[in-house]
């Protein structure tokens, strides 16, 4: 390893290799203590790093903003490849409506660069300040506006990645349509850094919305939620950009001290829905949302509603949904990120609550999520470290009969590896291994993430 | 081959293998005369066919509706695997807003099944009556509404495919979000049947639009077109579903006998734009489009406009754009399907016209396309069979300096194979070959399509 590190130091120059590491702040997930942090400044330097590591058979763990939730960036004792110095916005092309960035560019920086040119990058998630575009791509990030704009996969037009042996695959076409053979960028999106290191990307931008309306709705019964969603989709003609549901358990947490939020409605409801529309005509769009909500009352889908009347009120409503940090205020937790058909959700949450309470009386379950996408976030208070695995078995086990997924958007990393066969068949996992072996035969790229070596 | 065909006959039963073949109608592209047409009735039968073919090392050419344009289904002297008996709509799930079909289901049948449940499959293309969903997936079809709804890739939630050795990979999850390891379905979408045979799919449906408005606009100068597109995108708040441009050459063809269309505007313009909006509120949506068009006049983006006032008028305007058959009425043609940045289009078409006229005086060039997606269809009259290749060299060669793509939506097949290196780098093509070798080591699945064997 010493010789490899001196070769890497020669390749990356001063500041390019950090070996004096005390500990690394890793957000919500373990990133471990790497033996060195490599900080290339260009795609060529990433390629040089991988050529050297490949020759030495040394594992490389790519690092973006280290905001992942599944230990996908855990580099304990290995070489961490940080993209932090490759953080530039390279171009905003207004006429083509595209943004080209280096992979280490923080999401928020990218969004602001688009906004400065009156364009819109519709990816939005809580860790926007530190998460990087490369990490967003490698995890196929979702977030708050998937309902309308899709996940990151649908925003990537072009992508550059470096393969395990240092080969640079530059597929940076900014074209929306390009059916010229296999769409290689799809391989690297959501692969958690196991098939290549994403170094640059061209993203599709959208027109900047000229109107934004946000409302919180109180809903009495779960069965009203999918009907309300379809009602709004049909009435709002493509303008609906978020349909976020907070169970009362989540609402209570984010509206009581030390949280700064205040209850948005007078009564207390089992379900709160945050609805957002983005449009082009402020007065007409607001009237359309108001009419859709009135019809929702008339059709007995909504019990109460508060429509934000100012930018401050819009921000206050979103702040409730974004104040996820509150879920950790009462002690250790496990976070889950499952998806399943909306029709299966009510029975799933009820059965989960019942089984958890039977096994761990008094256990705390908080539920919220991107209901419009079939995605629930479940937060379970951890009664003790030894309960982690049996709780995981309950949460994931109840998905099996419901054709659910153990990860809607966070990915597999190390944390969910054991449970991957609950969501993917042996044939699927065999094809994944075939791809991994074909592209990274020495198994040096983020080895052990998603699945263990065969 | 005789022994293989008797094994296949035993596996598929009566009617499952056709060997008495005179000729095969192939639409616009050559499908050749296969030595047998295999017609499995189930995924298991597809698997049995591939197991036998794999053992024998015999090439298999998957057939959908045979409406492709690049000879991707050419099965001359080989075994054609037709999905025509696997044509069922399996389910429309209204609550989940999904459609599950067998791969041989025609696109139009799938669209009608969705419509019957008040849902909308937004894929629309000229060959909708015979093209199949499996073929649409294998070619990542585009069509008229990519601008708003994306290509087929963005509509596929779940997919089942059979690998070269007969392994069934069933990734039929209907979930919008499912980040559990590699997204294998992406491999088979747009792979032209070279990595697996698509047998079933679950597609995402949308709310059925409650309003549709269609207009044709006359535009004087090319530079107004991208500005007009951005203007409408910004003003229509997500409702814009088509922005199709017809050059005067195309307009003239489809509005003169024997074509049935009539000129939609009084004057004659260099460019005609077909604009469509789909929404949820007929009166408000129409008013919004009218206001956007009025603003377009005021900003000097439009010279004339005709807004359809009835369903018959809407259909008549779309019929102009759909009457592509006219391009072949004056003799043999070559069709091209390129994409490039809108900013590069005017100089590209001008230079192309100039070079073609210099080399083949009087040659006919007709241009139209999905301008909102950067996609141009070019139709060149063929002065003689020997001119085909030099004309291809001109059309594709002029894309090189403009970072264009030789295929926006039709694919590579056999026809564009030689030109693939114009759009994809050696590193990209090498990765494609790596994938092909990993998944189909005997090279039996549609061999020679996209690229020749290494």
């Amino acid at each position: 390893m010493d010789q490899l590190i001196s070769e890497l130091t020669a390749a990356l120059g001063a500041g390019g290799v950090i070996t004096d590491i005390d500990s690394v702040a890793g957000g919500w997930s373990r990133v471990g203590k790497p033996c060195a942090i490599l900080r290339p400044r260009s795609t060529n330097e990433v390629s040089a790093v991988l050529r050297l590591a490949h020759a030495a058979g040394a594992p490389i763990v790519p690092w973006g903003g280290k905001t992942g939730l599944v230990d996908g960036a855990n580099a304990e004792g290995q070489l961490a490849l940080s993209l932090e110095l490759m953080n530039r916005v390279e171009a905003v092309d207004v006429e083509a409506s595209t943004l080209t960035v280096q992979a280490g560019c923080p999401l928020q920086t990218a969004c602001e660069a688009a906004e400065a040119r009156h364009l819109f990058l519709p990816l939005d998630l809580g860790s926007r300040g530190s998460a990087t575009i490369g990490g967003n791509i490698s995890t196929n990030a979702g977030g708050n506006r998937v309902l309308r704009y899709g996940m990151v996969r649908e925003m990537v037009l072009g992508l550059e990645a470096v393969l395990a042996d240092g080969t640079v695959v530059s597929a940076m076409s900014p074209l929306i349509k390009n059916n010229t053979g296999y769409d290689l960028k799809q391989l690297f999106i959501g692969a958690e850094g196991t098939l290549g290191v994403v170094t640059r990307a061209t993203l599709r931008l959208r027109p900047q919305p000229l109107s934004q309306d946000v409302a919180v709705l109180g809903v009495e019964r779960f069965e009203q939620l999918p009907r309300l969603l379809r009602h709004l989709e049909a009435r709002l003609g493509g303008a609906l950009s978020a349909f976020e549901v907070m169970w009362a358990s989540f609402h209570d947490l984010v509206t009581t001290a030390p949280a700064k939020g205040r209850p948005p409605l007078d009564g207390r409801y089992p379900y709160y829905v945050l609805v957002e529309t983005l449009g082009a005509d402020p007065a007409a769009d607001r009237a359309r949302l108001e009419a859709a909500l009135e019809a929702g009352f008339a059709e007995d889908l909504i019990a109460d509603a508060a429509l934000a009347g100012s930018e401050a009120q819009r921000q206050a409503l979103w702040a409730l949904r974004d104040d996820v940090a509150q879920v950790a205020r009462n002690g250790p937790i496990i976070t889950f990120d499952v998806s399943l058909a909306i029709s299966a959700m009510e029975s799933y949450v009820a059965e989960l609550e019942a089984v958890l309470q039977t096994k761990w009386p008094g256990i705390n379950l908080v539920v919220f999520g991107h209901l419009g996408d079939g995605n629930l976030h479940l937060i379970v208070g951890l009664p003790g470290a030894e309960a982690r695995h049996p709780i995981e078995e309950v949460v994931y086990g109840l998905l099996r009969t419901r054709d659910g997924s153990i990860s809607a958007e966070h990915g597999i990393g190390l944390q969910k590896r054991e449970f991957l066969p609950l969501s993917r068949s042996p044939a699927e996992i065999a094809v994944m291994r075939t791809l991994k072996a074909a592209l990274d035969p020495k198994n040096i790229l983020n080895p052990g993430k998603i699945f263990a070596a065969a």
Side-chain angles (χ1 to χ4, degrees), chain A:
Chain A
M1 185 58 84
D2 283 355
Q3 184 183 341
L4 175 59
I5 287 181
S6 46
E7 288 168 1
L8 290 165
T9 306
L12 299 181
V17 180
I18 296 175
T19 51
D20 182 14
I21 303 163
D22 272 340
S23 68
V24 182
W28 293 61
S29 157
R30 285 169 299 181
V31 295
K33 184 178 166 181
C35 63
I37 301 174
L38 313 175
R39 305 197 305 162
R41 291 177 180 83
S42 66
T43 300
N44 280 342
E45 289 193 358
V46 174
S47 173
V49 165
L50 286 167
R51 267 199 315 275
L52 291 168
H54 192 255
I60 290 283
V61 179
W63 273 7
K66 304 189 291 298
T67 55
L69 295 168
V70 293
D71 298 350
N74 191 328
E76 182 64 40
Q78 298 175 325
L79 295 168
L81 176 59
S82 169
L83 279 292
E84 65 195 291
L85 301 183
M86 290 177 62
N87 59 5
R88 277 194 304 122
V89 172
E90 294 187 353
V92 180
D93 183 331
V94 173
E95 190 160 79
S97 199
T98 61
L99 172 75
T100 299
V101 295
Q102 290 183 308
C105 178
L107 170 58
Q108 188 163 325
T109 306
C111 291
E112 288 168 358
E115 208 177 323
R117 306 301 299 273
H118 305 291
L119 289 164
F120 181 51
L121 176 61
L123 179 62
D124 185 50
L125 32 87
S127 58
R128 59 185 78 78
S130 41
T132 64
I133 297 293
N136 295 151
I137 291 173
S138 294
T139 57
N140 186 28
N144 294 329
R145 287 169 179 145
V146 172
L147 182 66
R148 175 152 169 196
Y149 298 102
M151 299 181 76
V152 163
R153 188 179 298 281
E154 294 172 55
M155 300 173 197
V156 179
L157 296 174
L159 184 148
E160 180 184 84
V162 182
L163 302 184
D165 66 0
T167 301
V168 178
V169 179
S170 189
M172 287 291 284
S173 164
L175 302 169
I176 294 174
K177 296 167 81 168
N178 188 14
N179 275 350
T180 50
Y182 308 158
D183 190 1
L184 300 178
K185 64 178 179 281
Q186 306 298 341
L187 276 176
F188 305 103
I189 301 171
E192 303 189 26
T194 63
L195 296 179
V197 177
V198 175
T199 45
R200 294 165 67 218
T202 297
L203 304 177
R204 182 177 183 179
L205 301 177
R206 304 285 180 163
Q208 193 166 43
L210 304 177
S211 77
Q212 180 195 25
D213 284 290
V214 180
V216 167
L217 319 178
V219 172
E220 296 279 12
R221 302 183 307 281
F222 187 90
E223 56 89 14
Q224 295 167 308
L225 293 172
R227 289 164 54 214
L228 176 60
L229 172 63
R230 299 305 169 214
H231 167 86
L232 293 175
E233 285 186 322
R235 292 276 187 147
L236 296 171
L240 185 66
S241 53
F243 188 91
E244 298 287 309
V245 176
M246 301 171 272
W247 267 241
S249 56
F250 184 88
H251 165 270
D252 294 352
L253 265 182
V254 299
T255 55
T256 52
K260 291 179 185 151
R262 294 291 158 257
L265 302 173
D266 288 336
R268 184 172 179 275
Y269 297 92
Y271 308 98
Y272 295 82
V273 186
L274 185 150
V275 166
E276 180 190 72
T277 60
L278 297 174
D281 183 338
D285 294 334
R286 191 177 176 87
R288 185 179 295 210
L289 177 59
E290 284 172 343
L293 295 180
E294 274 169 34
F297 278 106
E299 294 181 26
D300 189 31
L301 300 172
I302 307 171
D304 196 6
L307 182 57
S310 66
E311 174 62 20
Q313 287 181 16
R314 285 193 290 274
Q315 288 188 9
L317 293 182
W318 264 118
L320 295 176
R321 170 59 185 81
D322 271 354
D323 194 10
V324 176
Q326 297 303 327
V327 301
R329 77 187 190 205
N330 296 320
I333 54 168
I334 324 181
T335 63
F336 297 96
D337 159 52
V338 306
S339 69
L340 68 168
I342 295 177
S343 57
M345 280 183 186
E346 187 175 21
S347 84
Y348 173 74
V349 173
E351 192 175 346
L352 177 62
E353 176 84 43
V355 175
L356 290 175
Q357 291 299 343
T358 304
K359 296 200 176 195
W360 296 277
I363 195 170
N364 191 35
L365 172 66
V366 175
V367 184
F368 61 106
H370 316 293
L371 198 99
D373 317 321
N375 180 184
L376 291 183
H377 294 312
L378 308 165
I379 312 290
V380 182
L382 191 60
E386 74 295 343
R388 175 179 289 272
H389 193 262
I391 289 173
E392 290 173 340
E393 287 184 320
V394 170
V395 170
Y396 295 137
L398 293 174
L399 288 172
R400 188 198 282 270
T401 55
R402 294 175 170 91
D403 288 329
S405 164
I406 64 167
S407 178
E409 54 182 25
H410 295 169
I412 299 300
L414 290 177
Q415 283 191 15
K416 302 183 192 167
R417 199 173 75 170
E418 171 191 346
F419 299 99
L420 184 63
L422 284 174
S423 286
R424 306 296 294 265
S425 69
E428 288 179 278
I429 294 172
V431 176
M432 290 185 210
R433 288 186 189 282
T434 299
L435 293 175
K436 175 70 171 168
L439 289 173
D440 181 16
K442 290 189 169 183
N443 193 31
I444 67 161
L445 281 175
N446 216 5
K449 308 298 162 50
I450 303 179
F451 40 73

